[in-house]
Amino acid sequence: MSNPLPIDAVKPALFSALQSHHTLVLSAPPGAGKSTRLPLWLLSEWLLAEEGLVNQKIYLLQPRRLAVKNIAHYLAKQLNQSVGETVGYRLRNETKISSATKLEVITEGILTQIIQQDPELANCALVILDEFHERSVQGDLAFALTRDVQQSLRDDLKILLMSATINSDQLLTQLPDAVS
């Protein structure tokens, strides 16, 4: 991770916001490192540093199956690991995770299935909804269910909404507890 990316400039502010808020909105241009650098930061610095979060996962939602696999492979390669170790993925008929997996790259539909089986998302510290501007029934349902878990069952659950083209001001109006 030696090549600087635009996302590097917001790292301190992002970690500070994650410590004090439960819902965040991150808007950064395409290629800034939202999907490729940020999840690795969270694995190495935030998730493992927080007490009680060592045994919890991060779910990184992608709207397309191909993106799920590509991002999981890229992130695992950055860690010099195979997919299914620290970074894994779940798709409808394909899963590459293990008991060591801390970051699961998944589709919105998979998150809905996870919530059906685990309504409290008990093993999850953070849900990242990437490409949040790409509205779909599955994406909206995944967000609504995650938000419901956060608001009614798990006030410690963190949600991070990311997009290159999102209207942050409008979203922050609709989510008064969120920060950008």
Side-chain angles (χ1 to χ4, degrees):
M1 282 197 261
S2 59
N3 296 335
L5 291 174
I7 196 91
D8 295 339
V10 302
K11 184 178 180 181
L14 178 70
F15 280 99
S16 176
L18 275 171
Q19 290 177 348
S20 57
H21 294 87
H22 295 291
T23 305
L24 285 84
V25 177
L26 176 63
S27 179
K34 295 181 303 293
S35 305
T36 57
R37 181 148 307 166
L38 178 99
L40 296 178
W41 290 344
L42 293 168
L43 282 175
S44 66
E45 296 179 29
W46 178 71
L47 183 66
L48 298 178
E50 294 286 323
E51 281 188 29
L53 299 182
V54 176
N55 295 321
Q56 292 186 313
K57 292 186 179 194
I58 297 171
Y59 292 129
L60 173 59
L61 279 65
Q62 292 293 325
R64 289 173 299 287
R65 295 170 53 91
L66 183 60
V68 167
K69 289 179 83 167
N70 286 341
I71 290 170
H73 280 279
Y74 179 84
L75 294 174
K77 184 178 179 183
Q78 295 303 302
L79 297 173
N80 294 317
Q81 296 180 358
S82 298
V83 173
E85 293 179 46
T86 303
V87 177
Y89 68 85
R90 278 199 247 185
L91 297 170
R92 186 170 6 147
N93 293 314
E94 187 177 357
T95 299
K96 289 223 175 195
I97 60 170
S98 68
S99 60
T101 303
K102 295 293 183 192
L103 171 65
E104 286 190 35
V105 187
I106 59 177
T107 59
E108 295 119 342
I110 295 295
L111 181 65
T112 300
Q113 292 175 2
I114 290 170
I115 292 173
Q116 287 174 331
Q117 295 174 1
D118 178 14
E120 293 182 23
L121 290 175
N123 296 321
C124 178
L126 171 66
V127 176
I128 304 170
L129 291 98
D130 199 3
E131 306 295 348
F132 191 69
H133 67 279
E134 292 189 19
R135 302 297 302 272
S136 69
V137 172
Q138 295 86 3
D140 289 351
L141 178 61
F143 174 65
L145 291 173
T146 304
R147 184 78 169 161
D148 187 51
V149 170
Q150 181 194 55
Q151 297 290 300
S152 60
L153 300 172
R154 292 267 320 277
D155 61 358
D156 63 324
L157 181 65
K158 309 256 185 202
I159 299 173
L160 174 58
L161 308 173
M162 299 192 309
S163 172
T165 60
I166 199 164
N167 183 340
S168 297
D169 294 334
Q170 181 182 12
L171 194 54
L172 292 171
T173 301
Q174 296 170 351
L175 301 169
D177 62 319
V179 295
S180 177

